[in-house]
Amino acid sequence: MHAASVHRTILFADLRGSTLLFRALGNAGAAELLAHTVSLLSMRTGECGGVVVKTLGDGLMALFATPAAAMQAVQQMQESIARITASAGPDAPALRLHVALHDGEVVEVDQDCFGDAIHIAARLLEHAGDDEVLLTQAVHARLDAAQQRRFRDLGPLQLRGIAEPVRVFQLTGTRAAEDQEPTGYAELSVPAMAGKVRLVYGPTEHVFSARQTPIVLGRASSSSFCVPEGCVSRSHARIEWHGGHFHFWDHSSNGSFVVFANGTQLAVRRASCSLHGSGTLGLGGTSMEQAAARVQFEVLPGGDTQLGTLL
């Protein structure tokens, strides 16, 4: 058995939407399309100098010598998925590509890989929303300035099974972001008296401090605040703390809405709004008329954990 420690950029890619695909195309048609898609992702990996370590059901794990090569592969994967979706026709459910990247030491043993860096990349994938690319600071720091400006700093994120929070960056949706300065977020140096936010969904309620942000709301059991409803994406939205306020940021396909105690309603899709007072977060729709999971929220002053009156 030969073991070697090497520095690599680890990429995990996952296709979601296969359940709807099987319903629409049948077992044979959906299986053929998924196999073709994963094969195409593997080809794109090789064309960009990467090595596919293993395929994982509807996705794969790959290693690259540099973050730049990994990002080139991500771009080509996204373009391939877009072409496949377009050719499948308007009635076929769209496949969603979720990607997570980390950079660090891995141990290669008999064509397989092990190490903490791989665990971090795998856990980060759990937080990637629809068509979302997330990467850690270790990857971001090794990109050139033009590439770095395409990412938004989400701040530290607590990953399942990882002791220390990991600083995470999100690929922005347009190339226009290359000409913008990256959004700045506070590190872990949140003031001790910063506010708290209380979330309630059915029997589940939790008070989060600003130090615990970003708070991930989603269907995945690994979410900071789990909302197990079909209309809710695995990683549907985040509540972040910056500029002295909590901000609700939607990352989903179905969108969200926010209704404040004074009756003001805002539709939020791939955008953000600041939270104040109390109200309702609707996950899985952009208006009160749509079937959406409703999470009650209340912003509390720093140091105050008393339960207020929600809608």
Side-chain angles (χ1 to χ4, degrees):
M1 179 183 296
H2 177 69
S5 178
V6 292
H7 193 104
R8 293 289 185 265
T9 299
I10 305 108
L11 178 149
F12 277 88
D14 180 46
L15 292 169
R16 296 179 191 157
S18 58
T19 301
L20 294 176
L21 203 64
F22 275 90
R23 292 176 186 172
L25 303 181
N27 290 342
E32 182 180 358
L33 180 58
L34 285 172
H36 171 71
T37 304
V38 174
S39 176
L40 196 57
L41 298 183
S42 298
M43 289 176 57
R44 297 294 173 258
T45 297
E47 290 169 356
C48 296
V51 176
V52 175
V53 177
K54 62 182 74 173
T55 55
L56 307 163
D58 296 343
L60 58 81
M61 169 191 166
L63 300 180
F64 294 83
T66 66
M71 286 306 304
Q72 183 183 8
V74 169
Q75 181 178 338
Q76 293 194 18
M77 288 178 181
Q78 291 173 325
E79 293 171 354
S80 295
I81 294 295
R83 287 194 295 269
I84 289 173
T85 300
S87 64
D91 296 330
L95 287 171
R96 304 294 183 182
L97 180 66
H98 305 245
V99 178
L101 302 102
H102 182 51
D103 196 81
E105 294 293 321
V106 301
V107 177
E108 297 180 331
V109 181
D110 295 336
Q111 298 182 333
D112 202 351
C113 294
F114 306 91
D116 289 340
I118 293 173
H119 296 314
I120 290 173
R123 295 294 180 247
L124 182 58
L125 185 67
E126 296 174 356
H127 293 269
D130 291 341
D131 297 321
E132 189 173 54
V133 178
L134 300 178
L135 51 77
T136 63
Q137 184 178 17
V139 181
H140 189 265
R142 295 185 63 205
L143 294 172
D144 62 34
Q147 284 274 29
Q148 287 180 342
R149 286 195 292 271
R150 297 184 61 199
F151 288 85
R152 192 170 68 92
D153 189 347
L154 299 180
L157 183 64
Q158 187 67 58
L159 304 180
R160 181 168 63 92
I162 306 300
E164 296 296 326
V166 177
R167 188 173 175 184
V168 175
F169 293 78
Q170 176 199 45
L171 181 65
T172 55
T174 70
R175 289 184 175 274
E178 293 182 3
D179 298 324
Q180 301 173 359
E181 290 299 317
T183 303
Y185 285 78
E187 300 276 352
L188 291 174
S189 57
V190 178
M193 294 302 291
K196 295 179 171 63
V197 62
R198 177 184 175 226
L199 301 178
V200 178
Y201 181 72
T204 303
E205 59 180 83
H206 200 292
V207 176
F208 295 92
S209 70
R211 291 175 179 269
Q212 293 174 287
T213 57
I215 304 159
V216 179
L217 293 82
R219 191 178 73 246
S221 60
S222 58
S223 300
S224 311
F225 192 83
C226 182
V227 183
E229 298 291 343
C231 60
V232 178
S233 299
R234 288 175 57 83
S235 180
H236 193 98
R238 290 185 178 89
I239 295 177
E240 302 165 351
W241 171 270
H242 57 92
H245 300 278
F246 287 105
H247 296 260
F248 176 79
W249 192 283
D250 175 83
H251 296 277
S252 71
S253 296
N254 295 333
S256 303
F257 62 84
V258 182
V259 181
F260 294 94
N262 64 3
T264 300
Q265 178 175 327
L266 299 175
V268 187
R269 187 193 294 272
R270 296 282 177 169
S272 67
C273 72
S274 61
L275 298 180
H276 54 82
S278 62
T280 301
L281 305 175
L283 310 181
T286 54
S287 71
M288 289 287 286
E289 288 70 36
Q290 293 178 293
R294 287 162 168 76
V295 176
Q296 308 302 315
F297 77 88
E298 182 178 19
V299 176
L300 304 170
D304 184 3
T305 58
Q306 297 297 314
L307 302 183
T309 302
L310 295 172
L311 291 180

